[in-house]
Amino acid sequence: MDLLEYQGKEFFARFGIPVSPGGRGDDVEECVAIAEDLGYPVVVKAQVHVGGRGKAGGIQLASHAEHVRDHAGNILGMEIRGHTVRGLWIEEASDIAEEWYASFTLDRSAKLHLGMLSAEGGVEIEEVAERDPDAIARIHIDPTDGLSDEACLAWVEAAHLDPDATTQAVSLLSKLYLAYTEGDADLVEINPLILTTDGRVHALDAKVTLDDSAAFRHDWDEYAATQHRDPREQAAHEKGLQYVGLDGDVGVIANGAGLAMSTVDVVNQVGGFPANFLDIGGGANAEVMAGALEVINDDPVVRSIFINIFGGITRGEEVANGIVQALDRVDMRSPIVVRLDGTNAEEGREILAGHESEMLLSQPTMLEAARTAVEMAATAGDRSP
Ligand code: GDP
Ligand code: MN
């Protein structure tokens, strides 16, 4: 789960990381009141779940109430990379001497935590990595050892930050590492981490992704309430389905996460593009199947649907009946290909054969079914204007 900047700063502050004082406002007058309390100048900052707000005009300095009123009025409702601004964060403006970059995340291939630190912050780190890879100091940390003061110091020195700020940087980064590990984050990023003109090191931005699997250890309800979710994922979540939205046009339904992933892969393998990952879990009854079909049917880019079921405890004829009954309930836009295998697959296929039509086909193998689904998506695509 991704946090908004103001939530990330609250999260950082709990671990003792210095951030600017500020307040959150949802309308113009609320923002003006916050600014009046803080004193000028202030920064008016759009709160959305994407970066690049500065470039998009979503970050503005204001030196009096009228300024705040203008900027807040302009930024509220603004679209930033597909996200509508619904809230603002007003904070005391900082005088910036230098902008740096700092982050911790998991390096999956190394199976270690990875810290990145650069004296070139304020721009996208991918840009720095491409232009001048040596400008990023990296540190791998074994989670069982943690980040020692010595290692942290060596890392800061390797990044060539202002030497006068070394002690503060080491202290802040140690706290950031704790926020990342004890706070159960998958990513913590400060860009820019600043040195102010009066010599203080300070987090000017905050990007935090929390590990959802650790939610039970924390009180994250407030963060969850402001989550921006793919509307398809939201609908699936409400139906208790494991769904991940993708960009293609072949809707995928499978039972079991492993089979669902293989289904996504096989669609790709035969030259198609999956619209989603969807695991309906163990029970493929009419209720669950209808719910899954509704979610996929509501996705306007879907042009064909591939249902891939391996009967284990769930028997083939139950699955087939579930699909047939679900089709009575949902008015489908796209044709469906079913691959049914496992327990009582024969019985199941017979039931499907009895209902075969332009909208419902059955194929004996996963590969054949994937090919048919991809062809169907392509033909449906040709038919549209
Ligand atoms: P992002 O564009 O979404 O990453 O938003 P940031 O919070 O990182 O802000 C973008 C840029 O705005 C920063 O790199 C700074 O250059 C500038 N900025 C943000 N806050 C302040 C501030 O308090 N004072 C000054 N002078 N500039 C700021
Ligand atoms: Mn930033």
Side-chain angles (χ1 to χ4, degrees):
M1 148 163 79
D2 294 334
L3 302 191
L4 292 165
E5 176 199 1
Y6 82 91
Q7 296 169 329
K9 284 182 169 170
E10 279 169 10
F11 179 81
F12 284 170
R14 273 193 260 141
F15 291 89
I17 296 165
V19 293
S20 307
R24 205 181 65 93
D26 295 333
D27 65 58
V28 172
E29 290 314 314
E30 208 179 337
C31 293
V32 173
I34 294 163
E36 293 283 311
D37 271 355
L38 290 170
Y40 297 97
V42 295
V43 196
V44 180
K45 308 188 78 173
Q47 296 301 290
V48 280
H49 286 104
V50 282
R53 296 165 301 162
K55 270 188 208 157
I59 311 261
Q60 301 290 344
L61 276 163
S63 47
H64 50 77
E66 241 358 87
H67 256 162
V68 176
R69 211 165 262 128
D70 285 353
H71 290 314
N74 287 337
I75 299 172
L76 280 167
M78 181 186 268
E79 283 272 317
I80 300 180
R81 293 163 65 194
H83 294 242
T84 309
V85 181
R86 308 221 178 276
L88 300 176
W89 170 250
I90 314 296
E91 71 174 29
E92 238 174 65
S94 303
D95 284 325
I96 304 174
E98 290 184 26
E99 301 196 26
W100 306 328
Y101 172 96
S103 69
F104 287 106
T105 189
L106 183 66
D107 182 342
R108 286 172 200 278
S109 51
K111 297 181 179 148
L112 294 168
H113 294 311
L114 171 66
M116 289 198 279
L117 183 63
S118 177
E120 294 182 34
V123 290
E124 290 199 22
I125 195 66
E126 290 80 4
E127 244 173 67
V128 180
E130 201 162 300
R131 178 168 32 86
D132 187 7
D134 293 338
I136 303 171
R138 293 159 202 268
I139 184 172
H140 276 106
I141 305 155
D142 187 323
T144 54
D145 300 338
L147 177 61
S148 69
D149 288 347
E150 300 74 51
C152 191
L153 175 62
W155 180 38
V156 168
E157 285 173 345
H160 303 296
L161 309 180
D162 184 325
D164 291 341
T166 301
T167 312
Q168 285 187 69
V170 168
S171 156
L172 187 146
L173 291 166
S174 304
K175 289 169 183 161
L176 186 62
Y177 181 73
L178 286 186
Y180 168 67
T181 49
E182 287 176 16
D184 281 317
D186 283 335
L187 166 75
V188 291
E189 184 185 73
I190 305 178
N191 189 20
L193 173 66
I194 59 160
L195 178 65
T196 61
T197 48
D198 57 357
R200 288 173 299 117
V201 178
H202 184 115
L204 203 66
D205 193 3
K207 184 172 177 193
V208 175
T209 304
L210 297 173
D211 175 1
D212 293 328
S213 307
F216 72 94
R217 280 204 279 257
H218 304 274
D219 180 11
W220 286 347
D221 291 354
E222 224 175 283
Y223 301 150
T226 55
Q227 278 313 288
H228 166 87
R229 256 192 138 129
D230 181 324
R232 301 174 297 172
E233 289 181 5
Q234 183 64 38
H237 182 74
E238 281 163 15
K239 290 178 158 64
L241 300 166
Q242 299 300 318
Y243 178 103
V244 180
L246 303 169
D247 297 331
D249 54 8
V250 179
V252 166
I253 298 176
N255 65 333
L259 185 61
M261 276 192 261
S262 306
T263 310
V264 163
D265 284 348
V266 79
V267 167
N268 268 314
Q269 191 193 321
V270 299
F273 300 96
N276 64 280
F277 162 101
L278 200 170
D279 166 19
I280 56 169
N285 60 27
E287 186 70 25
V288 176
M289 192 57 81
L293 285 172
E294 270 167 15
V295 169
I296 289 186
N297 205 36
D298 284 346
D299 185 347
V301 299
V302 166
R303 302 205 177 281
S304 72
I305 299 166
F306 178 7
I307 301 180
N308 191 6
I309 304 289
F310 190 88
I313 295 168
T314 324
R315 298 191 310 273
E317 76 272 19
E318 284 174 344
V319 174
N321 282 325
I323 294 172
V324 171
Q325 285 166 30
L327 287 178
D328 281 342
R329 294 199 211 167
V330 188
D331 186 16
M332 297 305 298
R333 293 183 303 103
S334 318
I336 298 170
V337 189
V338 185
R339 173 263 184 166
L340 188 56
D341 214 332
T343 312
N344 294 1
E346 277 307 317
E347 288 89 329
R349 284 187 206 143
E350 264 169 46
I351 293 168
L352 291 175
H355 291 81
E356 192 160 305
S357 72
E358 263 192 355
M359 293 302 281
L360 181 64
L361 282 179
S362 176
Q363 288 284 9
T365 70
M366 195 157 148
L367 197 61
E368 273 312 299
R371 282 206 182 102
T372 308
V374 171
E375 275 163 25
M376 279 170 157
T379 355
D382 290 346
R383 263 188 255 126
S384 61

